[in-house]
Amino acid sequence: MSLTLYFLRHGETESSLKDSFCGTLDPDLTPQGKEMAKAFADAYQSFDWSAIYVSPMKRTIATAKPLCEATGMEMQIKDGLKEMDFGQWENRTRDWVKEHDLEAYIDWMTEPAWNPPPDGETAVEVGSRAMLVISEIEANYPDGKVLVVAHKTTIRIILCHLLGIDLGRYRDRIDMLAASVSVIEFGLHGPLLKKLGDRSYMSQELQDRAGS
């Protein structure tokens, strides 16, 4: 037996619907986002979970809550799993940023690993704090299934770290829709991607919603 990590992005929020930058902002799930969380719990509650690690934001806690209630497990809240801080771009759409802060946006799009949004975080900084949590999980749970409930950018950066993908390409190589599940299995040759961005556990109606 070996460690298997299940990465669950939080369910739908108003920010994910309009594709605005939402890092330090703390919106709750939409009604449909709560349905996604319930669908995940229904599909995965029979798993023999070893632990559930969760970002401290409302949207991630609300996503993990149905599974925790169904299994009786407690969330382990970790600041390192928070979303990227988008600084001055928080609550702004990409169109707004391109119109009002084009130079910084071009820098960020070209090399996000080292170029942050103004007053925000780089991908390297997010990866540094998030991978401390992953290292803790590996140390505490060498075997079993561990759920990590986090955010779009954070999960993609973690996956890049684990799979040896350049952090500057996290947006170009990995997509991560709302409430999607990605699975990494740790084996003899290191982390192996078993599933990426899966939403087949939820109804077709929920799958068809905008999921950025």
Side-chain angles (χ1 to χ4, degrees):
M1 190 176 180
S2 61
L3 171 64
T4 302
L5 292 179
Y6 289 74
F7 293 95
L8 175 63
R9 185 192 169 193
H10 63 77
E12 179 189 278
T13 66
E14 290 296 335
S15 292
S16 68
L17 279 176
K18 66 181 183 179
D19 195 21
S20 61
F21 290 101
C22 179
T24 58
L25 296 178
D26 203 12
D28 207 340
L29 301 180
T30 63
Q32 291 79 14
K34 293 176 181 177
E35 289 181 30
M36 293 174 178
K38 179 63 165 57
F40 178 83
D42 291 343
Y44 284 88
Q45 62 183 309
S46 63
F47 280 36
D48 185 17
W49 295 106
S50 297
I52 299 174
Y53 279 66
V54 184
S55 158
M57 311 306 284
K58 289 178 184 176
R59 55 196 183 273
T60 40
I61 289 174
T63 301
K65 185 177 179 181
L67 181 67
C68 290
E69 291 178 342
T71 61
M73 298 191 67
E74 293 186 4
M75 302 179 199
Q76 298 193 45
I77 305 297
K78 299 293 178 178
D79 283 348
L81 296 175
K82 285 182 178 179
E83 181 58 300
M84 174 181 279
D85 182 347
F86 294 104
Q88 295 178 19
W89 296 350
E90 290 282 337
N91 207 32
R92 303 293 191 181
T93 64
R94 290 177 184 272
D95 288 341
W96 187 96
V97 171
K98 283 187 281 188
E99 180 180 350
H100 294 86
D101 202 4
L102 182 59
E103 185 176 349
Y105 182 76
I106 290 173
D107 288 343
W108 183 69
M109 290 295 292
T110 303
E111 186 46 84
W114 296 102
N115 294 327
D119 299 326
E121 285 183 293
T122 65
V124 169
E125 290 171 326
V126 174
S128 295
R129 59 173 167 80
M131 289 308 296
L132 288 176
V133 180
I134 302 304
S135 295
E136 177 184 322
I137 293 172
E138 290 184 73
N140 292 340
Y141 305 96
D143 298 308
K145 296 178 173 66
V146 174
L147 177 65
V148 177
V149 186
H151 307 266
K152 182 178 183 178
T153 301
T154 305
I155 294 175
R156 289 187 293 175
I157 289 171
I158 291 172
L159 292 180
C160 284
H161 265 287
L162 293 175
L163 299 174
I165 299 171
D166 182 348
L167 286 190
R169 305 276 68 80
Y170 73 85
R171 286 191 306 262
D172 303 328
R173 302 290 181 264
I174 300 173
D175 199 8
M176 193 65 52
L177 299 179
S180 61
V181 183
S182 300
V183 181
I184 293 281
E185 182 179 280
F186 289 79
L188 180 62
H189 302 290
L192 175 64
L193 181 65
K194 302 289 287 186
K195 187 179 292 187
L196 178 64
D198 178 58
R199 303 208 299 177
S200 62
Y201 68 86
M202 65 178 72
S203 69
Q204 191 63 51
E205 180 182 358
L206 291 175
Q207 291 185 56
D208 289 343
R209 293 183 65 79
S212 63

